[in-house]
Amino acid sequence: MISPKKYRQQIDSLGIEGMLIDVSSIDRAMNTINELDDLEKILKKVRHNLRIDIRNIRLEYLNKMKETEQQPNGLFKRKKSTEKIIKEKKILLKEKNLKIAAYEVVEDAINDYLSQIDSSRLYIKNSIQGRVG
């Protein structure tokens, strides 16, 4: 599992922030579209991996929730009180939600970049059509 910070570093290393959309010539515009296509593929792959990590976190905490209900084994078997089980589950739920929230922030950023890529691609295509007629 990759941390949200590592995902953020992967995205930052792509150089999307501050990327210039060059439509000064049809050649440059086409190169920019190719770059955007490549970035889009990478971002979608990162988002896919991120969603797998979120799914794994959910599974991990689902298993932890099940464990809280299980009775302890040993010489002195004491039944857990319902209140204690509920308290443990609330703590686990809070932990899970905090962990997932960090990943969702990164996913939101990816979705925002993908939206910007779509907008940029449309702008470039309109620019090319304006020149070609």
Side-chain angles (χ1 to χ4, degrees):
M1 197 173 325
I2 299 175
S3 73
K5 187 177 180 179
K6 291 282 185 191
Y7 279 118
R8 177 53 88 181
Q9 289 171 348
Q10 284 179 354
I11 294 166
D12 289 346
S13 71
L14 296 174
I16 298 172
E17 283 296 323
M19 181 180 173
L20 297 175
I21 304 299
D22 189 355
V23 291
S24 58
S25 70
I26 292 177
D27 232 12
R28 288 185 182 199
M30 293 304 293
N31 285 337
T32 304
I33 284 181
N34 291 335
E35 284 179 45
L36 292 173
D37 289 345
D38 292 343
L39 287 172
E40 182 179 49
K41 285 177 191 171
I42 294 168
L43 287 171
K44 284 183 176 181
K45 182 66 177 165
V46 170
R47 183 176 63 183
H48 175 77
N49 292 337
L50 187 133
R51 287 179 176 169
I52 289 172
D53 284 350
I54 290 173
R55 201 171 302 128
N56 288 335
I57 291 168
R58 286 192 172 114
L59 284 172
E60 173 190 339
Y61 277 88
L62 183 65
N63 290 330
K64 286 182 180 184
M65 291 279 211
K66 287 178 184 175
E67 287 173 13
T68 61
E69 292 176 6
Q70 292 177 351
Q71 300 304 318
N73 294 324
L75 294 173
F76 304 102
K77 295 180 183 175
R78 279 188 41 211
K79 194 172 183 179
K80 278 187 185 177
S81 71
T82 306
E83 294 87 28
K84 185 172 182 178
I85 291 171
I86 291 171
K87 186 177 180 181
E88 288 176 12
K89 282 186 172 186
K90 281 183 179 179
I91 290 169
L92 287 172
L93 187 63
K94 192 173 184 178
E95 282 177 17
K96 177 190 85 167
N97 290 339
L98 282 171
K99 219 174 196 182
I100 288 175
Y103 286 87
E104 288 174 339
V105 167
V106 178
E107 185 177 8
D108 289 345
I110 291 171
N111 290 335
D112 186 47
Y113 284 133
L114 290 171
S115 175
Q116 289 177 35
I117 286 172
D118 284 341
S119 298
S120 298
R121 191 181 291 120
L122 184 64
Y123 167 75
I124 294 168
K125 286 180 180 179
N126 287 338
S127 175
I128 292 171
Q129 282 180 344
R131 290 179 183 198
V132 175

